[in-house]
Amino acid sequence: MNKKNKFLFIILIFFLLSNLANSKINLQIVMKINNEIVTSYDIEQEINYLMALNSQLREIDQEKLIQIAKRSITKEIIRKNEILKYKKLNLDNPNIEPILNNLSRNLNFTNQNDFSTYLKKFNLTIDELKKKIEIEDEWKGLVYSKYIKSVKIDKEELNKKIQKLAKNEFQIEYDLSEIIFEKKSDTSLDDLINKIKDSIESIGFQNTANLYSISDSAKVGGKIGWVKNRNLAVPIISALKNLKENEYSSPIQIGNNLLILKINRIKKTPLEIDKEKELNRMVLNETTKQLNKYSNIFYNKIKLNSIINEF
């Protein structure tokens, strides 16, 4: 080896050792979910992802951000591993692009180039986001295939509801956000509710949704979007009817979980009902609601059988 090559070799070794030293300082194993290792870098990237979807997360402290990111990444890995038992994830899912475009519009971007530039500020790429969208959509497909036969729709009851609604001249629509939570065995329900209410007053509804909600909407600060009053269940209608914009409901019992809804905006529009279309819409809404319930049950069952270690 001549002197020049020897010098280059020494420089190369120096940089390799330097990078290794830096990785030991900056890159730590923080979790192990079954056989998958989660590093501090993974947590940092998950925080970036969640902050890109909900900018209000900037307002909460780092410890809570890490807690939110750990829960989010745990859910993603457990879902991904379950999906991989049945199929590969290779970004061939045709739903990815429409979901991505819808997400971009919800964040007020008119095209994907601007959205991509925005993501770069969070050290994220469009492809990384597509991978997350694919996991979420494939999970929904898996839940659908497993539980669709368990969904029960009372069309007669829905038709009665439509007949009653048709007598009204106007309809109310709500722009809603949600926090869906479950009672924990180590905390009394009253204490948990008070903790969530205190959190809403302290860091806002969106950040509290990220912190406490078990719904997939937690990633976007609990945002649901516009919902017609007639598509809501009676207990929810009752809980919302006396609320004003920017107010939130008391907890509503939904199966084994509890729901807090916030009204972001309200609008009143003339009511025009196509009974057939309305029935189809109600069936879809009810199907989605029941599948979301089964999704949580299925996930909790898999999580219970998973090995999750934090370091």
Side-chain angles (χ1 to χ4, degrees):
M1 183 182 293
N2 59 42
K3 288 184 178 180
K4 182 178 180 181
N5 288 339
K6 187 176 181 180
F7 176 76
L8 291 173
F9 179 74
I10 292 171
I11 292 294
L12 178 61
I13 293 296
F14 172 78
F15 278 111
L16 286 173
L17 291 174
S18 296
N19 288 337
L20 181 61
N22 285 333
S23 68
K24 286 180 178 178
I25 295 170
N26 300 321
L27 195 65
Q28 299 176 341
I29 296 173
V30 295
M31 296 178 74
K32 188 178 180 186
I33 302 167
N34 294 323
N35 293 320
E36 190 157 343
I37 288 171
V38 179
T39 68
S40 52
Y41 176 77
D42 297 322
I43 297 297
E44 182 182 335
Q45 284 298 93
E46 192 69 11
I47 290 173
N48 287 340
Y49 163 64
L50 294 169
M51 289 180 69
L53 299 186
N54 176 18
S55 60
Q56 290 192 19
L57 281 175
R58 294 176 183 275
E59 300 170 7
I60 72 174
D61 62 62
Q62 188 70 11
E63 186 177 336
K64 286 181 179 176
L65 274 176
I66 291 171
Q67 182 183 343
I68 292 167
K70 283 182 177 179
R71 190 179 66 181
S72 177
I73 208 166
T74 298
K75 180 179 281 190
E76 183 177 277
I77 289 172
I78 288 174
R79 286 179 169 186
K80 179 187 68 177
N81 289 339
E82 187 65 23
I83 293 163
L84 289 172
K85 293 178 183 178
Y86 306 95
K87 66 182 300 182
K88 293 181 179 179
L89 295 169
N90 50 20
L91 297 181
D92 282 344
N93 185 324
N95 293 329
I96 293 174
E97 204 67 30
I99 294 172
L100 179 65
N101 290 334
N102 187 54
L103 178 60
S104 175
R105 284 193 298 271
N106 287 341
L107 290 171
N108 298 317
F109 292 98
T110 55
N111 61 70
Q112 207 170 104
N113 287 335
D114 289 346
F115 189 38
S116 179
T117 301
Y118 168 76
L119 290 175
K120 286 178 183 177
K121 297 176 183 178
F122 297 89
N123 196 30
L124 297 170
T125 66
I126 287 289
D127 280 346
E128 286 172 321
L129 195 56
K130 284 181 177 179
K131 289 176 183 178
K132 288 183 172 292
I133 289 171
E134 181 179 32
I135 292 169
E136 190 166 324
D137 191 66
E138 292 293 351
W139 172 262
K140 288 178 180 177
L142 180 58
V143 170
Y144 182 92
S145 64
K146 288 180 71 70
Y147 293 104
I148 188 59
K149 291 182 180 178
S150 299
V151 171
K152 306 298 180 187
I153 306 292
D154 189 342
K155 289 189 177 181
E156 184 178 344
E157 189 62 33
L158 293 179
N159 275 316
K160 287 180 181 177
K161 191 174 180 181
I162 291 170
Q163 293 294 338
K164 185 177 179 181
L165 286 167
K167 297 176 183 178
N168 298 325
E169 293 183 20
F170 297 93
Q171 67 179 352
I172 296 174
E173 293 183 60
Y174 298 107
D175 178 12
L176 297 173
S177 295
E178 68 178 356
I179 297 172
I180 298 177
F181 62 100
E182 53 192 352
K183 185 183 178 303
K184 298 180 180 179
S185 57
D186 58 345
T187 309
S188 76
L189 182 56
D190 285 343
D191 286 345
L192 178 58
I193 291 171
N194 288 333
K195 190 179 291 186
I196 291 173
K197 286 183 176 179
D198 288 344
S199 178
I200 292 172
E201 297 304 316
S202 174
I203 62 175
F205 195 94
Q206 285 184 230
N207 291 336
T208 302
N210 278 104
L211 192 57
Y212 288 100
S213 183
I214 62 173
S215 171
D216 286 337
S217 66
K219 290 182 178 179
V220 288
K223 291 180 182 177
I224 302 173
W226 287 101
V227 181
K228 292 179 174 62
N229 189 58
R230 64 180 185 260
N231 291 331
L232 298 171
V234 172
I236 293 176
I237 293 172
S238 299
L240 295 179
K241 68 179 181 180
N242 293 321
L243 295 179
K244 299 175 183 177
E245 291 186 355
N246 296 315
E247 292 183 343
Y248 60 90
S249 70
S250 297
I252 307 161
Q253 188 79 41
I254 304 293
N256 295 324
N257 299 323
L258 290 107
L259 166 70
I260 296 176
L261 286 169
K262 177 180 178 244
I263 298 178
N264 302 310
R265 287 176 291 170
I266 305 172
K267 65 182 178 182
K268 188 176 180 182
T269 56
L271 179 61
E272 297 178 5
I273 291 183
D274 180 320
K275 293 182 180 180
E276 184 178 351
K277 287 183 179 179
E278 188 61 31
L279 178 61
N280 291 336
R281 188 182 296 112
M282 286 184 169
V283 168
L284 178 61
N285 287 339
E286 183 60 28
T287 301
T288 301
K289 182 171 73 175
Q290 292 187 36
L291 287 175
N292 285 340
K293 179 188 72 174
Y294 285 120
S295 175
N296 286 328
I297 292 170
F298 185 36
Y299 171 74
N300 286 332
K301 181 180 177 182
I302 300 169
K303 184 181 178 184
L304 194 64
N305 294 314
S306 299
I307 301 171
I308 303 171
N309 294 309
E310 294 193 34
F311 305 103

